[in-house]
Amino acid sequence: MRRRRAPKSANLLLRERAVGLPPLRPGGARVCVVYPNTYHVGMSNLGLHTILRLFREADGLRVDRAFLPDDPSRAPQTLESGERLAAQDVLAFSISFESDSLGVAWLLRQAGLAVLRAERRPGDPLVIAGGPAVSANPAPLSEICDALFIGEVEEQGGALAQAFAAAAATTPHRRDEQWRAAVLSELAQVPGMYVPELTVPGTVERQVARDLEAFETVSRILTPATEFSDCFLVEVGRGCRRGCRFCLAAQLYKPARTRAVGTIVASASRGLNHTNRIGLVSATLSDYPQAEQVVRALLEQGARVSTSSLRLESLTPGLVQALAAGGSQSLTLAPEAGTQRLRDAIHKPTTEAQIWHALELAVAAGLSKVKLYFMIGLPTETTEDIRALADLLLRAARDFPALTLSATISPFVPKPWTPFQEVPFGPPAELTRRRRIIRQALRGSRIALSGESVRSAAAQAVLARGGAELGRALAAASETGLGLSDLRRGLRQIGRRFQDYETVVRGSDGKYPWQVIRLSRDRP
């Protein structure tokens, strides 16, 4: 008899290795943590690992996972148990990027659930969401989600788990409006939880895990089917003390916090029991004063160490050499702009001398690749700035022939809560023209170019600064798919266009759409 091939979800599970993550419990409230993107993207996200651990360790919950199915014709289901999403008590979406809001709407529709919360039945799962995109601006999902968590979840994990357990206190066929109202009332009492039906706008504060030493943020599942492929990730710190005017992360993760050297090394050492690959995660690892000490301590234990982007201003020969000794082949750096004037304007005080010094350090350490990140469409940017960016890359390729250079050049998207939150996006035609100038200037060079498309950035601008009306647009888009053209059609159905969101629109009360919540520094 011919043996049936195992479904892809089973293959994924067979390749996973849990690291300090409790297994799926047989009973309790059925909570499904949903990442509205592929398994490859979702399991590369350290925040998802943190949520899984918090909920799996709580009493009274059975916590499964779900992702976008590889085959869009198949109904989405939970990864471990293979159940329908509609059979869960709570669907908890983790949303890192604005564009993944399209995935939320599409998954709900494919699961047989109404996308808009006002149209869902009392017996349907509760739909909540959290993550960086939600914390920045929950308004676009406020007509879709029953509740949205704002900020860092660690300190409120227990309270959320209790509210979820209460959500399963009655069986689905006994659920009614009274049950739903009771659960939402309990969720509204959790600090950081925005319940659109109940919460007074502007009263919810972003939550902060003030003592990172109390919460270990590391990989909880190792698998080769991710961006980092069996790399054990360890968070070094959270937030940034720099003042780049475009940066949302620095605003969302205030105050900047770091862990002690001993804490980082101890966490990484536990990961070395499962893999020799350690990834150090931080907004600005080179700003961490003991970064070299951490890397060398891990090298002594036989680790291969990699890291996220490094800050040019604080890069040292010792750190670069330590990373090279740990197996790194490349550096990732972010000058952001091609001229000193423009870098000063965005409060990115990197000098060209520092860029050249970093490239010299890479060559001296024996590294072979350097990846540089830039933006186009920044405030006050001119055509001369664009030509200077291309010239900087060409001179770098000429002066450092031993390095393979790549440049990621993406359109600037203004984000809420930043000093640039009111800056117009685009216009797209001008962004396309500026990108064409760079491509033509680099034609025939050995520099590899990549970056987000102008159309994708335009969609991101819509979802980053839009209001509650986008819920109806997302619901309409989900009728046909989760691509940019679907979002465009969805906007058209509510009488809007991408161009309407190139500038931010305040409400009749004079407030931005995202001011339905406030950052904790904005106390009245």
Side-chain angles (χ1 to χ4, degrees), residues 282-445:
S282 176
T284 54
L285 180 67
S286 53
D287 280 354
Y288 182 59
Q290 293 82 34
E292 182 183 345
Q293 181 182 345
V294 169
V295 174
R296 293 202 179 279
L298 296 178
L299 294 183
E300 291 176 1
Q301 298 183 48
R304 293 176 60 84
V305 182
S306 59
T307 181
S308 49
S309 179
L310 299 169
R311 189 86 185 193
L312 279 154
E313 299 92 327
S314 53
L315 204 60
T316 64
L319 177 58
V320 177
Q321 290 165 6
L323 290 170
S328 291
Q329 294 295 314
S330 64
L331 286 183
T332 300
L333 309 167
E336 306 295 5
T339 63
Q340 189 66 54
R341 182 203 66 80
L342 188 53
R343 289 192 293 271
D344 289 343
I346 63 175
H347 286 191
K348 182 85 173 187
T350 303
T351 65
E352 187 168 303
Q354 288 169 331
I355 297 172
W356 252 243
H357 180 58
L359 298 177
E360 290 168 353
L361 292 180
V363 172
L367 300 180
S368 58
K369 302 176 183 177
V370 172
K371 188 171 188 177
L372 300 166
Y373 279 86
F374 296 92
M375 289 183 284
I376 56 173
L378 288 161
T380 77
E381 183 181 82
T382 65
T383 299
E384 287 68 31
D385 292 311
I386 293 297
R387 293 197 174 105
L389 192 162
D391 179 65
L392 184 151
L393 288 170
L394 288 170
R395 286 187 289 112
R398 180 198 66 202
D399 292 353
F400 299 94
L403 292 175
T404 298
L405 297 179
S406 62
T408 297
I409 302 175
S410 298
F412 163 67
V413 178
K415 295 298 178 73
W417 307 111
T418 69
F420 285 162
Q421 62 185 0
E422 286 191 330
V423 171
F425 169 79
E430 176 61 21
L431 292 173
T432 300
R433 185 187 75 86
R434 294 180 186 188
R435 177 169 275 170
R436 189 181 303 118
I437 290 173
I438 296 172
R439 288 193 178 279
Q440 289 175 345
L442 299 184
R443 186 174 296 162
S445 75

Side-chain angles (χ1 to χ4, degrees), residues 96-132:
S96 300
F97 309 105
E98 292 90 350
S99 58
D100 284 341
S101 297
L102 286 158
V104 174
W106 187 85
L107 279 165
L108 290 174
R109 186 174 296 279
Q110 293 299 106
L113 299 168
V115 176
L116 297 175
R117 58 181 168 80
E119 298 175 1
R120 286 196 289 272
R121 300 164 300 183
D124 287 338
L126 287 168
V127 178
I128 74 165

Side-chain angles (χ1 to χ4, degrees), residues 275-287:
T275 178
N276 70 339
R277 300 187 63 218
I278 302 295
L280 300 177
V281 179
S282 176
T284 54
L285 180 67
S286 53
D287 280 354

Side-chain angles (χ1 to χ4, degrees), residues 105 109 114-116 119 144 470-480 490 493:
R109 186 174 296 279
V115 176
L116 297 175
E119 298 175 1
I144 292 176
L470 288 179
R472 292 180 289 116
L474 290 167
S478 69
E479 295 176 0
T480 53
Q493 289 197 32

